[in-house]
Amino acid sequence: MAPQYAPSLRSRLPLVAFLLETIFLILFVFFVKIEQQHEQSGRESDSKLFISSYAEFQDVHVMIFMGFGFLATFLVRYGFSGSGFNVLLAAMAIQWAVLINGFLLPQRHHRREIHISMKSVIEAELCAASALVAMGAVHGKTNPVQLLLMALVEVTGFVVTQWILRTLLNADPVYSIMLLHVFGALFGVMVSWVLHREGIKPEHEKEKTDRRTGLFAMFGTLFLWMFWPSFNSALVGDYRRERGLKLTVIYGTYLSLAVSVVMAMSVSMLTSSKGKMNMVHVQSSALSGGVAIGVAMTAVHQPWIAMTIGFCAALLSALGYRYMKNHMLFAFECHDTCGVLSVHAIPGILGWFAHLFLRLASSESTIAVQFAVYHICVLLITACMSLVMGTATVSKFGGTQMKNLWTH
């Protein structure tokens, strides 16, 4: 039977994109300025700091557009669209994140102006990464207009969550923003659950992969794997008092990623009936160590702890991707195309547990109880906000039309 394609978006996408870009342009004209360094004495140190931060910005930039972009090509019938939609979403989400970060987070304000800096751009790209994680759950089931609106709502919800955590709980900005994996995954899974339509099978015809798409997706995995230490350490300060922590984060992330690759390949072979590696499992689970260590990185100071976190993250992620995806469809009627729940949410929550236990082990009893309550509140607020915003997204933006795309 010949496939039925979604109606033409010729009259929708250009109009929506033009209107959004016009609004962004007007907001940038009145509110956004480039941050300038005025102190002459610190010019040399500022130059070195800029060179270092720009290198990290390039690494994160490659991850967002090339890593996630190639990773989105694994479906045979959605390869070119997935890569193109990734670029569109990331470009739009970064602009919106710069604005919404400036409006909500007080440290960005300078006399009612948003001063854009290398750090603010990196934060915007991390917010965009959260939207791309959410996109993975509905991969192939939405058109670009719906993805644009979904990305804007997701970024807004994520930044609002950051504002709540930093304002009410005085959360560490580096720790709170690294919960982007948990927020994005739960947001996407909730959208996918609301969009569920009868007739979606565990092995749907549109989920087929082949060697060509698998090769391009593996390129994306390699880009993400190589630059993930910069992704985790980009917001850790380059100042002397924080330089030791930055190096610890880089080393710990690399070791955790190395262990997760080995475990992902081992579990893939053990769970295969033919005893062969499934590259789809490897592409996903090989990155789980970077996700988990990113949440726990400020509490990890020993190499063996980072390696243990990577070991456990890859084990849970590979087993979850192998068995949980189909059970989620049968038990909860939730179709997760890219398995973001196993790849991002579970390792993220594992990192949260590791961070909690490591802090409790190094604290006194009274302080430990206070930190445990605070830590639990951070996760609950993040999870609740993601689930609520995911449900609200579908109810506002054409849930009925979105349901028709996958089964046709």
Side-chain angles (χ1 to χ4, degrees):
M1 178 179 178
Q4 299 179 12
Y5 295 99
S8 174
L9 296 173
R10 183 176 182 181
S11 60
R12 305 177 189 177
L13 180 59
L15 179 61
V16 173
F18 179 80
L19 289 177
L20 290 175
E21 279 299 334
T22 303
I23 294 172
F24 291 168
L25 180 60
I26 294 173
L27 292 175
F28 268 81
V29 167
F30 289 102
F31 295 104
V32 180
K33 305 295 180 183
I34 295 178
E35 187 176 68
Q36 301 292 339
Q37 299 293 337
H38 299 291
E39 296 182 7
Q40 300 295 326
S41 59
R43 181 173 297 177
E44 183 177 354
S45 60
D46 290 338
S47 177
K48 293 180 180 179
L49 181 61
F50 171 79
I51 293 173
S52 174
S53 60
Y54 183 71
E56 293 170 338
F57 161 74
Q58 285 182 312
D59 293 347
V60 177
H61 203 57
V62 169
M63 289 181 64
I64 298 300
F65 288 94
M66 297 190 68
F68 282 101
F70 278 119
L71 194 60
T73 63
F74 74 101
L75 296 180
V76 174
R77 295 181 55 183
Y78 204 69
F80 292 109
S81 298
S83 179
F85 294 169
N86 179 88
V87 176
L88 177 65
L89 256 69
M92 193 69 74
I94 289 170
Q95 298 174 64
W96 178 235
V98 169
L99 291 168
I100 198 70
N101 271 329
F103 289 136
L104 291 183
L105 302 182
Q107 62 268 29
R108 291 281 172 265
H109 285 292
H110 299 270
R111 298 179 181 178
R112 298 183 179 179
E113 292 179 349
I114 302 171
H115 282 201
I116 188 171
S117 63
M118 196 61 64
K119 181 180 178 181
S120 66
V121 176
I122 293 175
E123 285 186 354
E125 293 207 322
L126 294 180
C127 294
S130 180
L132 297 178
V133 170
M135 171 185 167
V138 295
H139 196 59
K141 295 178 282 190
T142 48
N143 63 47
V145 174
Q146 294 161 340
L147 285 175
L148 275 180
L149 299 177
M150 172 181 165
L152 296 181
V153 175
E154 199 278 345
V155 170
T156 303
F158 182 63
V159 176
V160 170
T161 304
Q162 300 303 299
W163 178 83
I164 293 174
L165 296 178
R166 299 183 193 183
T167 304
L168 299 182
L169 300 180
N170 197 24
D172 179 23
V174 176
Y175 166 65
S176 61
I177 200 170
M178 280 301 150
L179 289 170
L180 66 93
H181 305 282
V182 177
F183 186 95
L186 294 181
F187 181 97
V189 168
M190 179 56 65
V191 172
S192 180
W193 177 69
V194 177
L195 292 180
H196 177 76
R197 182 183 175 91
E198 296 295 333
I200 297 181
K201 301 177 181 179
E203 297 294 335
H204 197 274
E205 185 241 348
K206 289 188 177 182
E207 282 191 286
K208 289 182 179 179
T209 62
D210 60 13
R211 293 186 176 182
R212 178 181 60 85
T213 58
L215 178 62
F216 280 104
M218 195 62 195
F219 285 155
T221 300
L222 292 176
F223 278 119
L224 292 172
W225 194 91
M226 288 189 299
F227 295 116
W228 208 287
S230 295
F231 186 86
N232 282 348
S233 64
L235 294 181
V236 180
D238 281 311
Y239 301 104
R240 183 171 300 177
R241 64 180 180 275
E242 297 181 348
R243 194 168 297 166
L245 176 60
K246 192 180 192 72
L247 292 175
T248 301
V249 170
I250 293 173
Y251 300 150
T253 302
Y254 177 75
L255 292 173
S256 181
L257 286 168
V259 174
S260 64
V261 169
V262 177
M263 284 303 302
M265 292 187 176
S266 301
V267 175
S268 178
M269 294 182 67
L270 286 174
T271 56
S272 172
S273 58
K274 298 180 179 180
K276 296 182 178 180
M277 287 186 296
N278 187 330
M279 293 311 294
V280 176
H281 298 167
V282 175
Q283 290 161 9
S284 304
S285 303
L287 304 172
S288 59
V291 175
I293 197 67
V295 180
M297 61 184 180
T298 56
V300 177
H301 302 291
Q302 297 295 332
W304 69 270
I305 298 178
M307 296 173 72
T308 303
I309 292 175
F311 180 95
C312 297
L315 180 63
L316 293 177
S317 178
L319 292 176
Y321 196 93
R322 176 65 177 84
Y323 299 108
M324 184 181 294
K325 184 177 178 180
N326 294 342
H327 286 83
M328 287 286 292
L329 182 58
F330 284 122
F332 302 103
E333 296 185 340
C334 176
H335 183 266
D336 182 4
T337 307
C338 297
V340 296
L341 191 66
S342 302
V343 178
H344 294 274
I346 292 178
I349 295 175
L350 173 66
W352 176 87
F353 273 110
H355 188 272
L356 175 61
F357 292 148
L358 291 172
R359 290 295 188 189
L360 292 179
S362 60
S363 302
E364 298 179 358
S365 57
T366 305
I367 300 177
V369 172
Q370 295 176 350
F371 180 79
V373 174
Y374 153 81
H375 208 61
I376 293 172
C377 290
V378 168
L379 183 63
L380 288 178
I381 291 174
T382 302
C384 291
M385 283 292 296
S386 62
L387 297 177
V388 170
M389 294 299 293
T391 305
T393 302
V394 183
S395 62
K396 289 183 179 180
F397 301 126
T400 304
Q401 296 178 0
M402 295 168 80
K403 290 182 180 181
N404 296 329
L405 296 179
W406 186 263
T407 54
H408 286 340

